[in-house]
Amino acid sequence: MKQQANLKSPIKDVNEQLNSIRNCFNPLHPLFSPGSQIVDHFSSRISFHSPSSSSDEDLYQHLQSLNLAFRSSQVNHNSVAVIADGGVKKSHVTTAAAHIWANNSVIKQLQVHSLNVISIEAELMAIRTGLIPAMKIDNIYNITVITDSITAARKILESKVDPLQNMFIPLAAAVKTFLSKDGRNKIRFWYCPSRAEWPRHKLVDDQVKASSCASTFPSKESHLFSKKKECDNTLCEWQTYFANSLKKGHYFLNFEDEKGRVIKPTYAKGGSWLSIIGFTNSLCTCFTRMTTGHAPIGEYRQRFFPHLPTSCPCSKAEVQTREHIVRECDRHNPST
Ligand SMILES: [Zn+2]
């Protein structure tokens, strides 16, 4: 027993040291005290620019303005641009990269890796990786930061308890020092989604995607990563249970996505089915009846009321099935 206790203790210690969740809350940090927050003193010298809506037109307009902002950052000798991007691989290895641009060329390329974090943490790491060195360059008053997560950038002004707190405290402190140093110092954050393939952002994005760094030892997890892992496991259990359970009914109709994969239930974005149907009650009722097979059609009568007619009134189907109604029947497809 004594030997067992001796053995367990170091294993337990190592396990706790390497596999626990990283400490991430620091609500008492002076940066969050009323009166000393960044917004209290520098709200006019830090700005965030993103499209006014998610439409392609607004994104196009926004990218035009981004082009102008970038060009202006490259002709002014007291300005630099930081282009940042972060990505999480399936192996949970995260790469965060940033390019610092001045006079139309990259003057610094920076890259860091981490383990067991989620995408917003990767984006925040990327901003930090590029912005902190940029703020240390002599005679720079204006910094334009280009990122595909304006949500991550806005965390710098966050003053409430936040799971990302320990990650953005060093960045927020450096930003405060930079803005305090000179009244001319300004930072502008510009949103640039990876899907827009804005050429200079794509260079960083490609670097992140091409980077390879294998994890060689166990690592602690961030609080958000741990939550995501729990959530993913629960969702996976739910989807497996749903796929194998007969409770959904023998006639449950599986739908497939564009790639031919059966659509699984999810809680995200309004769910897998109801989000597509919308808020029309009658449509929702029809859809539910069709999906479960509990509709007043021949196929249903064949199962529960076999003495009643099962054929379709169009007389082209002996059994009026859902497939017949949706794909073939002239009564329900007036255009054919
Ligand atoms: Zn028919």
Side-chain angles (χ1 to χ4, degrees):
M1 280 303 285
K2 201 178 170 187
Q3 252 183 334
Q4 203 177 19
N6 284 343
L7 184 68
K8 264 186 179 172
S9 179
I11 291 173
K12 195 167 160 282
D13 289 349
V14 168
N15 186 47
E16 278 178 5
Q17 204 171 346
L18 295 176
N19 298 321
S20 59
I21 299 170
R22 285 184 207 134
N23 178 24
C24 57
F25 298 105
N26 191 356
L28 300 177
H29 192 279
L31 207 61
F32 307 123
S33 309
S36 60
Q37 295 165 11
I38 292 178
V39 279
D40 294 333
H41 304 281
F42 308 109
S43 58
S44 61
R45 290 199 274 133
I46 187 161
S47 58
F48 301 90
H49 305 263
S50 44
S52 44
S53 82
S54 57
S55 74
D56 287 347
E57 262 175 43
D58 280 339
L59 178 62
Y60 177 78
Q61 291 295 331
H62 172 78
L63 292 175
Q64 299 298 316
S65 308
L66 172 62
N67 274 328
L68 291 176
F70 179 77
R71 241 176 270 159
S72 135
S73 77
Q74 298 303 291
V75 292
N76 187 333
H77 292 302
N78 301 113
S79 301
V80 289
V82 173
I83 305 179
D85 193 25
V88 181
K89 293 217 161 72
K90 276 185 183 162
S91 58
H92 303 310
V93 175
T94 295
T95 302
H99 291 176
I100 302 179
W101 283 73
N103 298 320
N104 289 305
S105 56
V106 178
I107 57 165
K108 232 175 212 179
Q109 287 195 28
L110 304 123
Q111 187 169 303
V112 294
H113 298 282
S114 180
L115 264 176
N116 302 339
V117 296
I118 65 166
S119 55
I120 191 169
E121 292 171 292
E123 298 294 351
L124 198 52
M125 271 170 56
I127 295 172
R128 193 170 81 179
T129 303
L131 183 52
I132 291 184
M135 290 189 291
K136 288 179 182 164
I137 302 173
D138 289 337
N139 301 317
I140 292 300
Y141 308 130
N142 290 302
I143 302 179
T144 302
V145 182
I146 299 161
T147 168
D148 65 359
S149 177
I150 214 79
T151 314
R154 283 185 185 278
K155 290 284 171 192
I156 295 166
L157 301 185
E158 206 67 69
S159 56
K160 58 178 195 264
V161 174
D162 187 290
L164 291 167
Q165 228 164 30
N166 265 7
M167 191 167 250
F168 64 73
I169 283 174
L171 177 58
V175 165
K176 195 177 174 188
T177 307
F178 174 73
L179 296 175
S180 314
K181 204 165 62 180
D182 195 307
R184 290 170 289 184
N185 291 356
K186 283 181 186 161
I187 304 176
R188 296 180 183 90
F189 290 93
W190 281 81
Y191 172 64
C192 179
S194 296
R195 70 184 165 90
E197 300 202 333
W198 191 68
R200 293 161 202 92
H201 188 270
K202 194 170 182 306
L203 287 176
V204 189
D205 191 46
D206 289 346
Q207 183 182 323
V208 169
K209 282 178 184 153
S211 73
S212 59
C213 175
S215 58
T216 50
F217 53 86
S219 172
K220 288 185 180 184
E221 294 168 355
S222 78
H223 176 76
L224 291 175
F225 179 87
S226 177
K227 267 173 70 177
K228 185 176 181 299
K229 199 169 76 176
E230 268 315 295
C231 194
D232 288 348
N233 289 343
T234 307
L235 184 61
C236 188
E237 266 179 42
W238 180 28
Q239 290 174 340
T240 309
Y241 177 77
F242 183 80
N244 300 325
S245 170
L246 293 176
K247 285 186 179 170
K248 62 181 181 287
H250 292 280
Y251 278 70
F252 189 88
L253 190 65
N254 280 319
F255 291 92
E256 291 177 352
D257 62 15
E258 317 83 63
K259 292 180 181 169
R261 296 172 300 197
V262 171
I263 294 175
K264 296 173 180 174
T266 178
Y267 63 91
K269 295 178 182 171
S272 309
W273 299 285
L274 295 178
S275 59
I276 296 164
I277 301 162
F279 295 98
T280 315
N281 288 346
S282 57
L283 187 61
C284 187
T285 309
C286 284
F287 179 81
T288 309
R289 284 175 152 188
M290 179 188 73
T291 308
T292 56
H294 284 256
I297 57 172
E299 195 179 30
Y300 177 80
R301 286 192 289 272
Q302 190 182 43
R303 287 168 64 203
F304 296 104
F305 306 100
H307 58 286
L308 294 177
T310 59
S311 62
C312 182
C314 77
S315 72
K316 285 184 185 164
E318 208 171 298
V319 179
Q320 187 191 30
T321 60
R322 289 176 291 189
E323 191 172 7
H324 168 71
I325 293 168
V326 174
R327 291 174 188 254
E328 301 162 356
C329 188
D330 297 340
R331 299 172 71 239
H332 300 281
N333 294 290
S335 60
T336 57

